[in-house]
Amino acid sequence: MIRKILVANRAEIASRVFRTAAGMGLSTVAVYSDPDREAPFVSDADEAVPLGGSTPAESYLRADAIIAAAKLTGADAIHPGYGFLSENAEFAQSCADAGIRFIGPSPDAITKMGSKLAARELMERSGVPVLPGKDLTGTDADTAASYADEIGWPVLVKASFGGGGRGMRVVRDRGELAEAIESARREAGSAFGNDTVFLEHYVDEPRHVEMQIFGDEAGTVVHLNERECSIQRRHQKILEESPSPAVDQELRAAMGDAAVKAGKALSYVGAGTVEFLLAPDGSFYFLEVNTRLQVEHPVTELVTGLDLVRLQIDVADGRPLPSDLSNPSISGWAIEARLYAEDVDQGFLPAAGTLDEFDIPMLPGVRLDSGVVAGSVVSTNYDPMLAKVIAHGATRTEALARLAKTLRQTKVAGVTTNRTLLVGVLEDQDFASGRMDTHFLDRVSISDLQAVGDIGDASCFALAAALADQALNRSRARSLTSVPTGFRNSPVGLQERTLLRGETEHRVEYRLNRAPLFRVDGEELDVTVENATAEAVVLIVDGVRRSFTISSVNETVIVSEPRGSVTFVRAPRFPDASDQIDPGSLVAPMPGTVVRLNVSVGDVVAEGDTLVVLEAMKMEHSVKAATGGTVTEVPVAAGSPVDNGQTLVVLAGDTEETSADDAAEGKE
């Protein structure tokens, strides 16, 4: 019988497993790397063992160190979470050899699904529909091109041992195939330790629909209905829901039957996910089996009322699945948003830094699975997901509204996030109507979605920020303490404050005396100030009373009201000379490591040429020339770490900016 569980993972999934284990009366053990020493999940466990190191290879991928930690603490079971060693058959076998239960499927099942090529062949033999594909092992460029002709363009270059968009490239042009294969192989080798890739026919405008399956040691395999995961950027999910608006009872039964066939072909034990592409004509095709718990498992939990982690532990302990799981019901609708530390406007580049503020309101029907708190450091060593925000409602409309409102009221400072984009998608008319596919974010305007998710006119928010700043300064004054904030002797004198909202500059002018005046960006506002402190500002705006709460950390000011929040940065009164860079400099768009240099001093480059390839958070990012020129300096070397804004290459000419193109995305 399992008594103590070690979680071989970090952040929100570790905390998630600890929560269920504690509720079952089980003892828990965390393992952690050096950067995670103060992370919340470490204190969520009863005991914790340091692994040392900073990168995954130095810590969470060290199977020997994790098994040693289990033995040291007397843990008799290991839950792998997702990512890292969760789908590593050798690790699962090592657990068994050490007399430790692996809370997951058998090493044999993991091995069979570890190679997407082998998985395709097994599924095809088991009667599960698959797409045409070809193994690229040992092939040259001409052979690969002939394979693409045979299976039909467009094609997808896909890492056989990968996942989550890493090692994947969509290719529509014959001339781009060789480079796509090379890049996918390089990325797959870096991320997964195996650079095997294959070709698969690429279905345009498909939906991504997956079935949650569960198996036990008695040979029972069931499905727990579907999840819709079509909203993705570059093959990585950002919104998931259950049920799917595209799946009716007949299709659910057909996909469920195929998923169960897949599970039985593997003699599957534990939690797994069978992923399908759903074509516009209603046909569906096998993608892969994820032999672990999924990031998006909470939406299934909310509509079924099940605790999937508890089921995992029960099955690992030899208990059979409950008989009523053979006909799972769906109650209401659930949708999950992945809140990432990333800069959407810069092509979804990962962001890093310290979370000066992190506040997600817990509205009715909302669940939060998070691995960070205010003060947490977001590192480039790990996946950039900060939290999963999940809303449940009686209907899809209600669930969407709850999630959108929660995200609008979320306050994050110190790290750029995708919050505004998430709100924009949730409130988009096509998405609200269920019209979506995996190309949704490629087809629509990201800037338009950002505008939808934005608060709109931020004039009153900017005024509230300026008034709160003035009140804060006044509260710190050592003289004339009785003089009210914002007071001016002169009837024409104005206070001024400049605030930055992203790339937009807001100039606030105001006067609080017998002739009050308020202007933002030159536009006069009809405003009466009822109250203004450093923490709260109450305004009467065009006859409507509006209350703003103010959070201020360092130079960041977050202004919130019930309909949303706006983040400003106080503009410096004097320019910082250190912010200036030499003309023609291409700088790192994020902290990372140089994995490839394509130029040397003296080389002549053209606009769009890839000069440097960086790796951050297990993703490759190409830094391209914005204009042509001659390379005059290359102050970095392959393998060297770089900071955000660090100069990588200097060109003689008029190059003004860095162009970064994500080659792939992170986990899941």
Side-chain angles (χ1 to χ4, degrees):
M1 180 177 178
I2 294 174
R3 299 183 182 278
K4 181 182 284 191
I5 295 175
L6 180 147
V7 178
N9 219 296
R10 63 181 298 278
E12 56 87 17
I13 183 54
S15 294
R16 165 72 189 90
V17 176
F18 293 147
R19 187 165 63 245
T20 286
M24 296 175 70
L26 304 176
S27 298
T28 55
V29 181
V31 291
Y32 62 92
S33 65
D34 288 345
D36 281 339
R37 185 180 295 107
E38 303 299 326
F41 78 91
V42 177
S43 57
D44 286 342
D46 299 324
E47 301 172 84
V49 178
L51 297 173
S54 297
T55 67
E58 297 168 335
S59 53
Y60 300 107
L61 290 174
R62 290 185 58 204
D64 59 337
I66 290 170
I67 290 175
K71 290 180 177 180
L72 177 67
T73 57
D76 48 19
I78 291 179
H79 193 298
Y82 39 72
F84 297 131
L85 295 170
S86 62
E87 295 179 281
N88 186 304
E90 291 182 4
F91 177 62
Q93 185 61 54
S94 295
C95 289
D97 294 343
I100 300 169
R101 299 194 192 189
F102 179 78
I103 302 178
S106 67
D108 180 63
I110 298 174
T111 298
K112 287 177 178 175
M113 293 297 101
S115 165
K116 290 183 172 59
L117 278 167
R120 284 170 46 84
E121 294 171 0
L122 176 61
M123 292 302 108
E124 193 168 18
R125 292 197 304 269
S126 303
V128 180
V130 301
L131 287 164
K134 286 286 187 180
D135 185 2
L136 292 177
T137 302
T139 60
D140 57 21
D142 290 339
T143 303
S146 67
Y147 283 168
D149 292 337
E150 181 181 341
I151 67 176
W153 295 86
V155 294
L156 181 66
V157 181
K158 199 171 183 180
S160 183
F161 291 87
R166 289 174 291 179
M168 294 175 67
R169 303 289 187 275
V170 178
V171 185
R172 299 179 182 276
D173 184 271
R174 193 182 185 91
E176 298 174 356
L177 184 59
E179 171 58 26
I181 293 171
E182 179 188 348
S183 179
R185 279 178 172 153
R186 184 173 58 249
E187 192 170 79
S190 172
F192 311 113
N194 189 305
D195 65 357
T196 302
V197 297
F198 65 99
L199 278 187
E200 193 171 72
H201 175 66
Y202 188 72
V203 177
D204 271 314
E205 300 183 1
R207 299 175 84 111
H208 181 126
V209 178
E210 61 190 31
M211 302 295 294
Q212 175 73 58
I213 63 169
F214 247 96
D216 63 20
E217 292 181 354
T220 301
V221 178
V222 300
H223 77 83
L224 303 179
N225 301 310
E226 82 280 357
R227 294 185 289 255
E228 169 89 48
C229 307
S230 294
I231 302 300
Q232 307 175 7
R233 72 324 178 252
R234 296 171 185 172
H235 308 293
Q236 185 173 18
K237 307 163 189 174
I238 61 171
L239 287 170
E240 303 101 346
E241 59 185 301
S242 183
S244 165
V247 176
D248 58 19
Q249 287 285 32
E250 182 179 356
L251 181 56
R252 180 173 298 122
M255 297 184 81
D257 179 64
V260 169
K261 283 181 180 178
K264 289 189 173 182
L266 294 166
S267 301
Y268 201 85
V269 176
T273 301
V274 185
E275 299 193 344
F276 296 103
L277 281 181
L278 178 60
D281 64 3
S283 59
F284 61 92
Y285 304 94
F286 172 81
L287 271 178
E288 62 183 345
V289 175
N290 287 303
T291 53
R292 54 173 167 75
L293 198 67
Q294 292 279 87
V295 174
E296 59 271 23
H297 75 273
V299 296
T300 296
E301 293 185 323
L302 289 177
V303 297
T304 62
L306 299 169
D307 183 332
L308 299 190
V309 174
R310 185 185 184 100
L311 281 177
Q312 283 187 296
I313 295 171
D314 284 344
V315 166
D317 223 1
R319 289 186 282 276
L321 290 169
S323 58
D324 58 357
L325 290 190
S326 60
N327 187 26
S329 61
I330 296 175
S331 175
W333 212 287
I335 183 164
E336 171 182 293
R338 302 190 191 190
L339 186 65
Y340 280 108
E342 64 184 12
D343 191 335
V344 175
D345 292 331
Q346 297 299 317
F348 300 99
L349 290 178
T354 300
L355 287 168
D356 297 323
E357 181 161 2
F358 188 77
D359 181 18
I360 298 177
M362 288 292 93
L363 302 179
V366 172
R367 165 177 162 176
L368 174 66
D369 285 13
S370 177
V372 298
V373 294
S376 293
V377 175
V378 181
S379 166
T380 59
N381 289 316
Y382 309 116
D383 184 87
M385 187 171 68
L386 302 176
K388 303 180 312 196
V389 188
I390 315 102
H392 181 256
T395 64
R396 185 171 189 264
T397 299
E398 184 175 82
L400 295 187
R402 282 179 171 169
L403 184 54
K405 185 171 184 178
T406 300
L407 290 170
R408 279 198 177 277
Q409 295 183 4
T410 290
K411 294 182 283 187
V412 182
V415 175
T416 303
T417 75
N418 65 336
R419 179 181 69 93
T420 303
L421 175 65
L422 293 171
V423 175
V425 175
L426 291 168
E427 296 184 352
D428 177 79
Q429 290 185 356
D430 281 346
F431 180 78
S433 299
R435 296 190 295 270
M436 71 186 91
D437 55 62
T438 58
H439 301 300
F440 183 89
L441 291 182
D442 299 320
R443 186 173 58 253
V444 301
S445 165
I446 295 295
S447 59
D448 286 350
L449 287 176
Q450 295 267 76
V452 170
D454 209 340
I455 202 65
D457 182 8
S459 297
C460 293
F461 289 81
L463 176 59
L467 294 175
D469 252 11
Q470 176 61 35
L472 178 63
N473 293 337
R474 193 79 210 108
S475 69
R476 293 171 174 171
R478 296 185 178 181
S479 61
L480 298 176
T481 56
S482 62
V483 176
T485 181
F487 177 80
R488 278 290 184 272
N489 277 334
S490 168
V492 296
L494 291 173
Q495 294 269 47
E496 293 185 11
R497 190 49 146 155
T498 300
L499 300 165
L500 302 177
R501 182 188 180 201
E503 300 297 321
T504 304
E505 184 176 280
H506 295 285
R507 185 185 181 201
V508 182
E509 302 169 285
Y510 63 95
R511 180 177 61 230
L512 298 172
N513 57 13
R514 286 188 295 257
L517 178 67
F518 307 96
R519 283 201 300 253
V520 178
D521 300 329
E523 295 290 329
E524 189 169 339
L525 305 181
D526 179 10
V527 168
T528 301
V529 179
E530 283 205 347
N531 185 44
T533 69
E535 295 80 27
V537 173
V538 180
L539 307 175
I540 304 295
V541 183
D542 296 328
V544 178
R545 189 177 191 270
R546 295 172 62 179
S547 299
F548 300 89
T549 58
I550 316 297
S551 303
S552 180
V553 183
N554 299 322
E555 295 306 308
T556 299
V557 183
I558 302 179
V559 184
S560 304
E561 66 165 8
R563 68 189 182 114
S565 64
V566 176
T567 301
F568 299 99
V569 175
R570 300 180 183 94
R573 296 185 182 276
F574 304 101
D576 186 349
S578 65
D579 289 339
Q580 306 301 312
I581 62 173
D582 293 333
S585 296
L586 277 74
V587 301
M590 86 294 282
T593 301
V594 177
V595 295
R596 188 153 53 97
L597 279 172
N598 291 342
V599 293
S600 302
V601 173
D603 288 349
V604 176
V605 301
E607 178 182 348
D609 285 354
T610 298
L611 309 186
V612 182
V613 178
L614 301 178
E615 183 181 79
M617 298 180 180
K618 290 296 182 181
M619 297 177 280
E620 283 194 0
H621 307 274
S622 298
V623 179
K624 300 181 179 180
T627 65
T630 301
V631 178
T632 59
E633 293 181 49
V634 184
V636 296
S640 62
V642 294
D643 292 326
N644 185 35
Q646 182 174 335
T647 299
L648 304 175
V649 176
V650 180
L651 300 179
D654 297 326
T655 302
E656 296 177 352
E657 60 182 280
T658 295
S659 173
D661 178 23
D662 284 353
E665 301 306 329
K667 181 182 68 201
E668 280 273 314

